[in-house]
Amino acid sequence: MRHNLAKEKLATGKPINVVAPGYSSAGLVEMLGRMGFDAVFIDCEHGPVGWEDVEHMVRAAELVDVTPIVRVQSNDHSTITRALDRGAGGVQVPHINTHAQAEAAVRAAKFAPIGHRGYAGGRASLGVKGNFTVHANAETMVIAMLEEVEALKNLDEILKVEHIDAFFIAPGDLAQSMGYPGQMDHPDVQAAVQDAVRRVRAAGRAPGVLATNGASARRFLDLGALFIYVALASLLQPGARDFLAEFK
């Protein structure tokens, strides 16, 4: 497990960009890393990625010094451990709605004395000089996903949990929870996201958000967001649309 440059940037108050390839491709991870992204998002909750894919994609990320962040299927101890043993620089844990759930995610991701991550090491421990558990605790990122109205109601308590690097306000599931399924751009949903970003930042923590293009990224950066996620498809669509328009 290498030094986590994305975690370092966040810790110093600098924003990071996180790109989601959406596909099980180590080659795509390598290409995106060489483009200059800070972190790559490997989706094991909704995407097609299997555990062998995770390992290959993590290796590719390490090759180009981009931080591999794995979104696990659930806030489950063994699943979080499995992702980290494959060398992930961080885990993004879905559906964190309470202080207790946030604490559980941290305990699963960190070795004692912080948590109780199961000790195996896996490929993550290869090449680490000194105490692997100390190194892993220092370098591993934990990102809590806030996806329901309940999470926003409990936000002040969730923000008290230590060792969480970013709090990601997910507009898709939040919209559904608010009664606007499929309408993450609804004004009420966006107002809730922006309010959460302000509250997270006011607590001295790092807010995370979904951007769809450079303009939306800039709006959230100006608001104080520090963890900016974008899907590769969102970046490709405008260029593809402009290109194909020339053939009509």
Side-chain angles (χ1 to χ4, degrees):
M1 184 179 184
R2 297 190 178 188
H3 178 56
N4 194 326
L5 296 174
K7 182 180 175 74
E8 180 182 32
K9 288 183 72 172
L10 272 185
T12 58
K14 296 178 181 178
I16 64 169
N17 49 71
V18 184
V19 63
Y23 299 94
S24 307
S25 171
L28 193 52
V29 169
E30 182 181 1
M31 182 186 75
L32 292 169
R34 294 191 186 281
M35 286 182 176
F37 287 96
D38 294 309
V40 62
F41 181 85
I42 303 171
D43 193 354
C44 289
E45 183 187 16
H46 293 293
V49 179
W51 287 113
E52 187 173 354
D53 299 316
V54 169
E55 196 160 313
H56 292 318
M57 294 170 79
V58 165
R59 284 195 187 96
E62 291 172 343
L63 178 66
V64 290
D65 288 328
V66 59
T67 298
I69 297 172
V70 175
R71 174 162 67 177
V72 293
Q73 295 97 314
S74 61
N75 191 1
D76 171 73
H77 182 275
S78 61
T79 303
I80 290 172
T81 298
R82 198 171 190 187
L84 294 175
D85 284 351
R86 273 151 184 77
V91 285
Q92 189 153 324
V93 185
H95 303 290
I96 299 295
N97 288 318
T98 66
H99 181 277
Q101 290 171 350
E103 283 190 323
V106 171
R107 287 196 303 270
K110 301 286 187 175
F111 292 111
I114 298 170
H116 57 81
R117 174 180 166 185
Y119 186 85
R123 69 169 303 275
S125 64
L126 299 177
V128 174
K129 297 179 181 179
N131 190 317
F132 169 63
T133 64
V134 173
H135 176 80
N137 278 356
E139 300 295 342
T140 298
M141 296 177 72
V142 180
I143 300 98
M145 296 192 71
L146 312 178
E147 306 184 71
E148 278 91 32
V149 170
E150 182 183 3
L152 301 190
K153 289 180 178 178
N154 296 325
L155 182 56
D156 291 343
E157 289 300 310
I158 294 172
L159 289 171
K160 294 177 182 177
V161 178
E162 297 181 355
H163 306 293
I164 294 178
D165 297 274
F167 298 82
F168 185 87
I169 303 101
D173 281 306
L174 179 60
Q176 183 165 250
S177 178
M178 292 176 65
Y180 304 112
Q183 302 178 63
M184 64 182 186
D185 290 328
H186 190 283
D188 291 349
V189 177
Q190 286 301 307
V193 171
Q194 292 171 24
D195 178 65
V197 168
R198 294 187 186 98
R199 291 169 64 191
V200 174
R201 195 63 190 270
R205 310 301 294 272
V209 293
L210 166 70
T212 54
N213 52 38
S216 64
R218 173 43 54 193
R219 286 196 299 272
F220 281 120
L221 287 168
D222 290 344
L223 192 63
L226 294 174
F227 182 102
I228 309 294
Y229 164 101
V230 66
L232 178 60
S234 295
L235 300 179
L236 289 175
Q237 285 170 353
R241 183 174 58 245
D242 291 347
F243 176 81
L244 293 172
E246 301 301 322
F247 293 84
K248 295 180 180 179

